[in-house]
Amino acid sequence: VPVPRAGRHRRGRPRSDVYAAGILLYELLTGAPPYTGDTAISVAYRHVNCDVPAPSEVAGDVPPELDAFVRRATSRDPL
C-alpha cells in the first residue's frame, strides 16, 4: 500500500489537499490519471518532479478556465 502524500505519522497540509483536488478534477475531466508508470515509485517521482499536463491536452473540449484551475492547483509553486 503506498504511503499517503503527507507521509506516515505526519499531518497533511492544506496544500496537499489543493493538489489532491486538482488531480481529482484532472481525472474527472480526462477519464485518466495524469501519470502512469510501471511502479508506484515511478508515478510518485513524476508527481513530485513533473508538471501536470493541462487536461485539454488529453480531452480537447476542456475550457481554458478549467485548464488554468487544474494547472494552478497542481503547481509545485502555486504563488
Side-chain angles (χ1 to χ4, degrees), residues 15 71-73 75-79:
R15 176 74 197 109
R71 298 295 303 263
R72 178 83 187 265
S75 171
R76 290 186 305 282
D77 185 16
L79 301 177

Side-chain angles (χ1 to χ4, degrees), residues 21-68:
I23 294 297
L24 179 60
L25 181 57
Y26 179 94
E27 292 181 10
L28 289 170
L29 292 168
T30 65
Y35 306 120
T36 58
D38 294 334
T39 65
I41 297 295
S42 67
V43 174
Y45 178 87
R46 293 186 69 195
H47 275 283
V48 171
N49 295 297
C50 299
D51 292 329
V52 173
S56 63
E57 293 178 21
V58 175
D61 58 346
V62 176
E65 296 84 5
L66 286 177
D67 265 350

